[in-house]
Amino acid sequence: MTRTEEFEELRPLLFAIAYRILGSVSEAEDAVQETWLRWETAAAEPRSAKAYLSAVVTRIAIDVLRSARVRREAYVGPWFPEPLQTDPYEDPERSAELADSLSTAALLLLERLTPLERAVFVLREVFGFDFPQIASATGRSEAACRQLAVRARRHMDAGRPRFEADRQERDELAGRFLDAFREGDVDGLRELLAADVQLVGDSGGKAPSWPRGVLGAGNVARVLAAIVPPLDAIGVVCEPHRLNGQPGAIFRDRDGRIVNAWTLDVLDGRIQTIRTVLNPDKLAHLGPVADPWQISRETKEARRSAARDTQ
């Protein structure tokens, strides 16, 4: 097997590691590309291509995350991971860990960890690397990596909900929610939302959004129902999709361009959080993106037109 063939075989794993450390599709792809450049020019032949390449992509991702933390501190509004439609890496023996680590909620919990804690947690808990491999990847001793793993696991366990819905239950609830949304059914929406539900948006200052989010079942239901008529009027459609391994939706304009993406957190038979990514920079990897400001202008005009028609 050539070096190119070895790399392509391991590319899904390398991307999966980098994405979970970085929470960014574009940055993960860049990290994988940089890993290839180093692999292509490496003089020595490593005993294990998997161990070598995993270590390289991990070190690159840690460095990128350290610089990204500074940018995220200056980010306008809430920061969410870039939505991912499919995980390119599959491992039947670790399917539960892979799926759990991909959710938006889990990636946001990982944001609370230091870059080293995050890398150690991802390698150990998600991909099952042993501590000698993790020590090599992070440049720390095995003892230090064990301590980092304990701290990271403690932080992650403290932030996770105690009881999570199974996949079928989440999908069924999400389907009913999106049906109620499309119909503008305030009562139907309210019944499916947790009392303290949050509707929050990541616009990065590059798209209209709710500055502080919307809280409470009644408020969220009314806001969601109110945006349906103007969206319908300008041809925006809501398509159900699984994003980051959880129920969600992608909105497209009349030309098929992406307007935004939703992910839904489901717990105890209710939707707890609706996270919407509106920042066009975070949607470009999913396809052509609409102009969010133009969409906003068109929806406002649709509201004004509807108001005139009722007078």
Side-chain angles (χ1 to χ4, degrees):
M1 185 180 294
T2 66
R3 278 197 173 189
T4 301
E5 290 170 338
E6 282 185 300
F7 186 86
E8 290 304 320
E9 185 175 274
L10 290 165
R11 182 186 288 272
L13 170 63
L14 303 179
F15 174 85
I17 291 171
Y19 176 76
R20 284 164 174 81
I21 294 174
L22 294 166
S24 166
V25 173
S26 54
E27 289 177 346
E29 289 173 344
D30 288 345
V32 172
Q33 181 60 23
E34 177 62 26
T35 301
W36 159 250
L37 294 175
R38 297 188 188 184
W39 171 243
E40 188 180 31
T41 57
E45 197 68 37
R47 270 185 283 181
S48 167
K50 177 182 176 181
Y52 174 84
L53 291 170
S54 298
V56 172
V57 82
T58 297
R59 292 190 203 112
I60 292 170
I62 290 171
D63 289 342
V64 172
L65 184 59
R66 284 174 174 149
S67 63
R69 288 291 173 93
V70 177
R71 296 195 303 274
R72 290 175 193 177
E73 288 174 3
Y75 194 80
V76 177
W79 181 94
F80 298 154
E82 292 180 11
L84 186 67
Q85 282 192 275
T86 56
D87 186 357
Y89 179 71
E90 296 181 1
D91 181 352
E93 294 184 2
R94 304 195 67 79
S95 58
E97 293 89 345
L98 289 168
D100 179 62
S101 66
L102 200 61
S103 73
T104 303
L107 290 169
L108 288 173
L109 280 177
L110 283 169
E111 280 291 304
R112 302 179 185 180
L113 307 182
T114 67
L116 274 174
E117 287 173 343
R118 185 163 180 163
V120 169
F121 183 88
V122 166
L123 292 175
R124 180 63 180 172
E125 301 296 327
V126 180
F127 295 98
F129 281 62
D130 60 33
F131 281 108
Q133 291 172 316
I134 297 171
S136 174
T138 60
R140 297 295 188 274
S141 68
E142 289 184 40
C145 288
R146 290 179 188 278
Q147 291 178 338
L148 288 165
V150 169
R151 287 205 302 269
R153 194 180 306 116
R154 187 184 304 125
H155 287 308
M156 293 295 288
D157 289 345
R160 283 195 178 109
R162 293 189 63 188
F163 303 102
E164 296 188 53
D166 63 32
R167 178 167 178 164
Q168 183 177 350
E169 181 183 341
R170 286 183 297 174
D171 289 346
E172 289 175 353
L173 181 63
R176 284 159 43 210
F177 167 78
L178 291 175
D179 286 343
F181 168 71
R182 291 191 195 95
E183 294 165 7
D185 181 356
V186 175
D187 292 335
L189 287 167
R190 188 186 293 114
E191 288 179 5
L192 299 171
L193 299 172
D196 58 350
V197 64
Q198 298 182 65
L199 170 61
V200 283
D202 173 347
S203 70
K206 298 184 178 184
S209 185
W210 305 278
R212 297 176 183 171
V214 183
L215 304 178
N219 292 331
V220 171
R222 286 190 293 272
V223 166
L224 292 179
I227 66 176
V228 173
L231 290 178
D232 284 344
I234 66 171
V236 172
V237 296
C238 170
E239 301 175 350
H241 282 274
R242 293 194 70 79
L243 296 171
N244 292 85
Q246 61 192 125
I250 292 176
F251 289 72
R252 298 182 187 272
D253 69 6
R254 62 172 67 90
D255 297 316
R257 294 171 299 189
I258 296 169
V259 176
N260 63 41
W262 285 5
T263 55
L264 309 174
D265 283 355
V266 178
L267 183 67
D268 295 333
R270 293 287 186 275
I271 291 172
Q272 304 286 329
T273 310
I274 305 165
R275 296 187 180 91
T276 174
V277 175
L278 304 110
N279 185 340
D281 295 345
K282 291 189 172 186
L283 299 170
H285 64 282
L286 299 175
V289 180
D291 179 345
W293 302 105
Q294 179 63 28
I295 294 292
S296 177
R297 288 191 292 271
E298 290 181 8
T299 55
K300 288 177 182 177
E301 179 55 36
R303 287 193 186 97
R304 286 193 292 265
S305 178
R308 287 194 297 268
D309 291 343
T310 58
Q311 289 177 353

